[in-house]
Amino acid sequence: MAQPDNKKFFENLTGAGKAIAVLTSGGDAQGMNAAVRAVVRMGIYVGAKVYFVHEGYQGMVDGGDNIKEAKWESVSSMLQVGGTVIGSARCKDFRTHEGRLKAAHNLVKRGITNLCVIGGDGSLTGANLFREEWSGLLAELVQQNLIDEEAAQKYSALHIVGMVGSIDNDFCGTDMTIGTDSALHRIIEVVDAIMTTAQSHQRTFVLEVMGRHCGYLALVSALACGADWVLIPEMPPEDGWEEKMCQKLSATRSRGSRLNIIIVAEGAIDRHGKAITSSIVKDLVVQCLGFDTRVTILGHVQRGGTPSAFDRILASRMGVEAVLALLETTANTPACVVSLCGNQSVRLPLMECVQMTQQVQKAMDEKRFEEAVRLRGRSFENNLRTYKLLAHRKPESELPHSNYNVAVMNVGAPAAGMNAAVRSAVRVGISEGHKMFAVSDGFEGFYKGQIKEVKWADVGGWTGQGGSLLGTKRTLPAKYIEKIAEQMRKYNINALLVIGGFEALECLLQLNDARSHYEEFCIPLCMLPATISNNVPGTDLSIGADTALNAIVETCDRIKQSASGTKHRVFIIETMGGYCGYLASVGGLAAGADAAYIYEEPFDIRDLQSNVEHLTEKMKTSIQRGLILRNENSNENYTTDFIYQLYSEEGRGVFDCRKNVLGHMQQGGAPSPFDRNFGTKIAAKAMQWITKKLNENYRQGRVFANTEDSACLLGMRRRAMVFQPVVQLKDETDFVHRIPKEQWWLKLRPLMKILAKYKTSYDVSDSGQLEHVALNRPRESEVLAAI
């Protein structure tokens, strides 16, 4: 892994002479420590002095030992720790002018003029006020002879960059806040556990989740577990909801379901502003239906535990981006907040975001609920729209009758989230008036006629199931194309949705090629990427990859913990992914790896030796553990065994080695909340596209579609969900190694190296530029939504 020239990097981004302070304020959230770690290490990397401010703003006001210089080792072993290691506290003193004056004095004494604040909108608003008052505060300090004029001149401007740490995801301007994904993990773990006991006893469970002012956690967890009913503050139910809810629960039971799940946000209200509590909902169900009903209030368990892989990556990316923003800021640059839009980091004016967030609450207070939902942003809107589409089954008499038959199938290796996608596709298809057919065992089952109609109730409870309930095979259709065409005729299939990995792309290309010989394939064809390897061209993310990352990170945490208190030890971990290094690279970033060997970035014996020397140097400090990830096909000669033996020999006397091949555990288990949600929304979008194409291409009593744009892959590209003709993806694909020719996540690899103390270059061309909240909302015609 030859290191690129980093001259340009340091010329443009030197932080020499700068001092940066990082603090966490308000409530805690999983992933805050990952953000603190990234700020500290990136700051030190560019030559800045970095300080911890313990106990949030209170520590800044009190000064003394609360403001300490951070060293590289200060943030070791904190990536996997929940909460915030540097502490957080509500601070009344900072709300006063005197308190802010003390805080300013404490910062100037240490030469700190760059502040990175990780907290909610209240914490960030306080930071912005502090910045606006800064020059006046310095003038007062000069008047009181606490600092001299020279210091006031030298430290005349305070620069603020914010990161939002909040499990509620209640801050406008970002698709996800740090901690939200981890909170969803806690909720879904509980829901999955409750579902088993509820089925045993035929019970109804009412779950109360956090969200005093924002219903994001309730809404997304309801979407991710297929809850029967959800109550959130942004969209109170219409009058008479009590009867409608009980009718829905009763209808679900009458169709054979043994359980009901109702999710209530703690801030849920009705249209008149009256609180709807979990106990009210329970009493209602018991009185109206007589169902055995239990209440579970999750409380602070949602804030606790280990941060998810998503939160670690998000926080690490945001932390690095925050340091870059501080280095590039000038006296005239407004305070900004680092946000996530789709799959990209963006910088937004802090107060624009705060004002938008306050507008949401104002709209809710004034009972303008539709506007409140719109102001929450595109991610929230699309979650709500998709939930409504899937949760409430219309009576047969109200459904449109399209007379179209649509088949759905899985192809390739199983991936967590496939079942959520199938459930979503079936139910949206039925809502659109189509007759839905499920194909078992991929194209092998297709040519054998393993095709049957599926109804709404047939896919109940599928969202939380791992693997592929339909069955999936790697068989490609070309060999059996005539038999498949025969089955298409037999069942009069008018559109096909294929959910799978690289094989699914090859399948669609073969079906597209077969159109010239078989009119049966002149129908809308759509593919959804679903593979743990995340190696499908045309999309930044695939269904199943997040679950695999969490499995890798959880295992790495346990493995590293096994070395706690023992002698110095280095672990060599082999991940799956074929020739695609996504799991090794992004898993390495999330787990705090020292290196990740992948096919896309060739390495030789000199690189291996350099890594050994790096670890040897590292072990001389207080750091006791090293972690190396290797993608399974990264190099045919430098195998996991070879690297293990090399490290064992070269590290003799300094550290010992252990190796672990993770294998198929990365494919198994219950899908993560992200994969359930991603699979659900992307499949709903695909079915709506299929309906549109069916209607566009219906002529003279039949469907005929043979244009390029009628055989598409739906994937996430940067900020947008886009349909791309599969024939246009050929040029972007390395078919020999089954990977895209260009992969966005390669830009994350320098982050892992920087955070592991390697000297490397970092491409800042893709870093966030200051935008505006209004511009941060892509047009509905262009995108689905970021997850």
Side-chain angles (χ1 to χ4, degrees), residues 13 161 317-318 320-329 333 336-341 343-349 718-719 747 751 762-772 776:
L13 285 169
V161 172
R317 289 177 70 182
M318 284 187 168
V320 168
E321 186 68 39
V323 173
L324 295 178
L326 284 171
L327 295 183
E328 293 168 10
T329 193
T333 308
C336 76
V337 62
V338 179
S339 300
L340 180 76
C341 182
N343 196 30
Q344 272 196 296
S345 295
V346 294
R347 301 175 196 170
L348 299 169
R718 296 168 74 87
R719 301 188 189 191
K747 290 186 177 181
L751 297 192
Y762 182 58
D763 178 9
V764 296
S765 61
D766 204 35
S767 64
Q769 302 301 313
L770 194 64
E771 301 179 14
H772 294 281
N776 192 34

Side-chain angles (χ1 to χ4, degrees), residues 400-406 426 428-436 453-454 687 690-692 694-695:
H401 291 286
S402 69
N403 295 318
Y404 295 129
N405 293 346
V406 181
V426 167
V428 173
I430 290 170
S431 296
E432 303 267 318
H434 310 321
K435 194 178 277 191
M436 298 299 298
E453 186 181 352
V454 277
M687 284 308 302
I690 282 173
T691 299
K692 181 174 171 235
L694 283 167
N695 292 330

Side-chain angles (χ1 to χ4, degrees), residues 172-241:
C172 293
T174 186
D175 288 345
M176 284 285 265
T177 56
I178 296 167
T180 303
D181 187 69
S182 300
L184 286 170
H185 272 258
R186 301 294 93 79
I187 294 168
I188 293 304
E189 283 164 12
V190 171
V191 172
D192 285 351
I194 278 175
M195 278 182 158
T196 56
T197 183
Q199 283 181 322
S200 302
H201 297 278
Q202 291 198 60
R203 277 184 178 147
T204 296
F205 269 89
V206 182
L207 263 79
E208 184 180 301
V209 302
M210 282 185 166
R212 195 169 299 139
H213 304 294
C214 179
Y216 186 89
L217 289 179
L219 177 58
V220 174
S221 54
L223 197 58
C225 73
D228 296 282
W229 203 267
V230 66
L231 294 156
I232 59 173
E234 291 88 347
M235 188 52 68
E238 300 289 347
D239 291 346
W241 64 272

